[in-house]
Amino acid sequence: MQSGTNPIPPGWQQKLQACGQLMRVSKPIGTYLVLWPMLCSLWIAAEGIPSLDLLFIFCLGTFLMRSAGCVINDFADREVDGHVKRTAQRPLPGGRISTKEALALFFVLLISAFILVLFTNSLTIWLSFGAVLLAASYPFMKRYTHLPQVVLGMAFAWAIPMAFSATLDEIPTIAWLIYTATMLWTVAYDTMYAMVDRDDDIKIGVKSTAILFGDMDKVIIGILQLLTLIIFIMVGLKLGLSIGFYLGLTVMAGLFVYQQYLIKDRQREACFSAFLNNNYAGLALFIGIVIDYLAV
């Protein structure tokens, strides 16, 4: 073979690139937003010492399930993405990948994630079916309800009870508190994300909390962020966590205030920046929990 010759035919290169775009490989923000609450839950469930095998299973599973969610989301939106400025260049509306190929990729990702879950326990395996149901149903909710962000919150937070069940073979009350906080937090930041597309969504008939909340969007996002912090304080008190956790939570609160500043004029770019900023909020919470358990 000559030096520099690419062994992958050009047609396959284009398909692989399209698959990578469908999976948002170059845009990992969604993976991070699922990852931080999941890692917090693993650390709490294992009291600071999660097993390496569960870390591997859940980190890779987070990537696979988030990717599967992106693929089925683009499949559901294939008829409308071409009418939205931000999504017009995605592979399906651009014809760079077929609907059958997209569905095949979706099922490959689901099967890969399920294989990982088989290395846990029966309770976690049963819970994984809930993850599939939520991931597959979310993209279609925006056709029927103004609350698709709630379904997304349920889907993004589903790794939390799974992390507890895989570690403890049960789901304690604290897991559902973290689940609730994460769900509310997800609704808050995904409403910021929906504010970016609100004008386009109204034109094409796609529903969202950003449309539902209207002029009250910033206030309701603030309430959701406050409730998130209150529930996490309850988690800290219930677990007897100390300074590390509350420092992380304080940073998270500060970032929430900064996000409110960013969305104050409802500018598209600023709302998108506010959405992205939640990565650091989740990271701060996770670091606080790690520090707290290291100090014990």
Side-chain angles (χ1 to χ4, degrees):
M1 183 179 294
Q2 295 181 354
S3 177
T5 301
N6 193 330
I8 304 176
W12 278 100
Q13 288 184 47
Q14 294 172 2
K15 290 295 183 184
L16 289 174
Q17 289 172 355
C19 288
Q21 283 185 280
L22 278 176
M23 294 166 60
R24 311 289 196 276
V25 172
S26 64
K27 298 178 180 179
I29 179 63
T31 300
Y32 295 151
L33 291 172
V34 178
L35 187 69
W36 301 131
M38 179 276 294
L39 288 175
C40 290
S41 301
L42 273 181
W43 247 256
I44 290 171
E47 297 183 348
I49 312 176
S51 66
L52 291 178
D53 59 337
L54 286 182
L55 274 174
F56 174 79
I57 288 169
F58 275 87
C59 288
L60 181 55
T62 294
F63 169 76
L64 292 172
M65 285 303 297
R66 185 263 178 165
S67 297
C70 291
V71 173
I72 198 64
N73 181 74
D74 281 14
F75 173 80
D77 289 349
R78 64 192 183 280
E79 301 296 336
V80 299
D81 274 349
H83 302 284
V84 179
K85 181 179 179 181
R86 183 180 55 81
T87 60
Q89 301 305 313
R90 286 180 176 173
L92 278 167
R96 285 177 286 122
I97 194 168
S98 70
T99 54
K100 289 183 179 179
E101 290 167 336
L103 285 175
L105 176 60
F106 173 67
F107 285 111
V108 166
L109 291 166
L110 285 186
I111 292 168
S112 299
F114 186 67
I115 291 171
L116 286 174
V117 175
L118 293 177
F119 291 94
T120 60
N121 54 39
S122 58
L123 176 57
T124 310
I125 292 170
W126 280 111
L127 286 171
S128 70
F129 291 100
V132 173
L133 178 63
L134 289 168
S137 62
Y138 156 70
F140 300 95
M141 291 297 102
K142 64 190 77 172
R143 307 290 187 277
Y144 307 106
T145 174
H146 280 93
L147 298 171
Q149 281 69 29
V150 174
V151 181
L152 182 70
M154 295 169 65
F156 269 29
W158 198 251
I160 292 166
M162 290 183 68
F164 275 91
S165 69
T167 305
L168 304 174
D169 203 18
E170 64 176 354
I171 309 174
T173 303
I174 201 73
W176 296 115
L177 278 176
I178 300 172
Y179 179 86
T180 303
T182 302
M183 184 179 69
L184 294 173
W185 174 31
T186 305
V187 175
Y189 65 63
D190 203 58
T191 299
M192 297 176 194
Y193 188 67
M195 289 167 71
V196 177
D197 296 331
R198 176 157 46 191
D199 294 340
D200 291 327
D201 287 346
I202 290 172
K203 291 177 183 177
I204 61 180
V206 171
K207 299 176 174 63
S208 73
T209 48
I211 296 172
L212 177 65
F213 297 160
D215 292 339
M216 291 293 291
D217 50 4
K218 295 183 292 184
V219 173
I220 295 176
I221 288 171
I223 292 171
L224 292 169
Q225 290 173 322
L226 181 60
L227 288 172
T228 298
L229 295 170
I230 290 172
I231 296 174
F232 275 130
I233 289 172
M234 293 170 59
V235 169
L237 292 173
K238 189 173 180 65
L239 293 172
L241 300 178
S242 56
I243 187 67
F245 172 75
Y246 291 106
L247 282 174
L249 200 58
T250 299
V251 173
M252 184 182 224
L255 290 171
F256 283 174
V257 173
Y258 175 60
Q259 291 162 22
Q260 284 289 326
Y261 168 76
L262 287 174
I263 67 174
K264 62 183 177 61
D265 297 319
R266 300 185 178 90
Q267 296 297 316
R268 288 192 182 211
E269 294 79 7
C271 289
F272 188 64
S273 295
F275 162 73
L276 293 175
N277 186 259
N278 283 275
N279 175 40
Y280 301 110
L283 175 61
L285 183 66
F286 173 59
I287 291 175
I289 289 173
V290 171
I291 291 172
D292 208 279
Y293 278 103
L294 285 174
V296 174

